[in-house]
Amino acid sequence: MKNVLVTGGAGFIGSALIRGLLEEPGVERIVALDNLLTGHERNLAEVNNRIEFHNADIRDLAALEHLFTDIDVVFHQAAIPSVPRSIDDPQLTHEVNINGTFNVLLAAQRRKVSRVVYAASSSAYGDTVVLPKIETLVPRPKSPYAVQKLVGEYYARTFLDNYGLATVCLRYFNVFGPRQDPASPYSGVIALFCTAALAQRAPTIFGDGEQTRDFTYVDNIVQLNLLAARSPTAPGNVYNGGVGARITLNELWSKLQELEGLDLPPRYQPGRAGDVRDSQADLGAARRDLNYDPRIDLTEGLRRTLAWYRASA
Ligand SMILES: NC(=O)c1ccc[n+]([C@@H]2O[C@H](COP(=O)([O-])OP(=O)(O)OC[C@H]3O[C@@H](n4cnc5c(N)ncnc54)[C@H](O)[C@@H]3O)[C@@H](O)[C@H]2O)c1
């Protein structure tokens, strides 16, 4: 793994992955591409003299083919990553999440990239009776976003079977940490809750707050990507990326209030279409095949995240 490229490199997870890759032995050249739709150049501010950044769109196949020249591993993070946004705008999210992912795979195959590691999503599972969710469950996507991310997995597998392109799919559960953008109504819940806590403002919870999530600090997901990029047996497989625990949104807000010394009841609004009720990752496959070991737990992750939002306010 000498030359690597991160799509969505100016986004929350992509920019954390780039920081991980900068520490990775053997990595010599890091290319980031992003069209800055939800990402920001500031996310790469203190590392941008050590990487190459290109303002490019994954819907532009020619640009991808050009940028993928001599690349060994592509980490495909670029997407419009939101369930409610995909319901509001199914066409745009389809074009980026499905057509864009197809282009990434096609360009990788044409440029003889050795491996593509794809950011898939736990939303593919939908509402399952079984918890924790294991990769062998039949997917039951509930939103355009969940379908789109799942189609990416199917394409990734198809490119391996038909063209020999090594692909690995990582189904991230709810990822949080520094640089997650809190500024949009489509933002991740921890970004919204942390910034609400720091502003001593009550957050909005959609539904009764008893829905559960496997909240995963971003460094765990970086570790998973680096392992998936190197493992000789990973190609062709789908792996969950979480911490293997779950808490309710009500418990999450209580925890943040405890950490910040607050007493502010949340505001409730009706539940949102497409939202999954419960989510928790089975990590058996990732631990067994990849030696994945998520070291940062929720409380430590929240401490680090709050500290980051506080410092960057
Ligand atoms: N954050 C989570 O909890 C989570 C969970 C499951 C899966 N994922 C997946 O992880 C990946 C990264 O998500 P994130 O949370 O960092 O979100 P993010 O919005 O911060 O990152 C996505 C990046 O993709 C870029 N992008 C969007 N459309 C593009 C296009 N057409 N061409 C080039 N770049 C484009 C955005 O500008 C942004 O920088 C996504 O693929 C998402 O589906 C995230």
Side-chain angles (χ1 to χ4, degrees), residues 11-13 34-35 37-39 56-58 77-79 81 120 145 149 175:
F12 155 52
I13 297 173
D34 202 299
N35 73 347
L37 180 75
T38 56
D57 196 304
I58 56 169
Q77 311 298 310
Y145 171 72
K149 297 303 290 188
V175 189

Side-chain angles (χ1 to χ4, degrees), residues 5 37 75 86 119 134 138 164 192 208 213 237 265 278 284 301:
L5 183 143
L37 180 75
F75 295 90
S86 76
I134 187 162
V138 175
L192 294 169
D208 62 5
R213 295 288 180 268
N237 292 329
D278 295 303

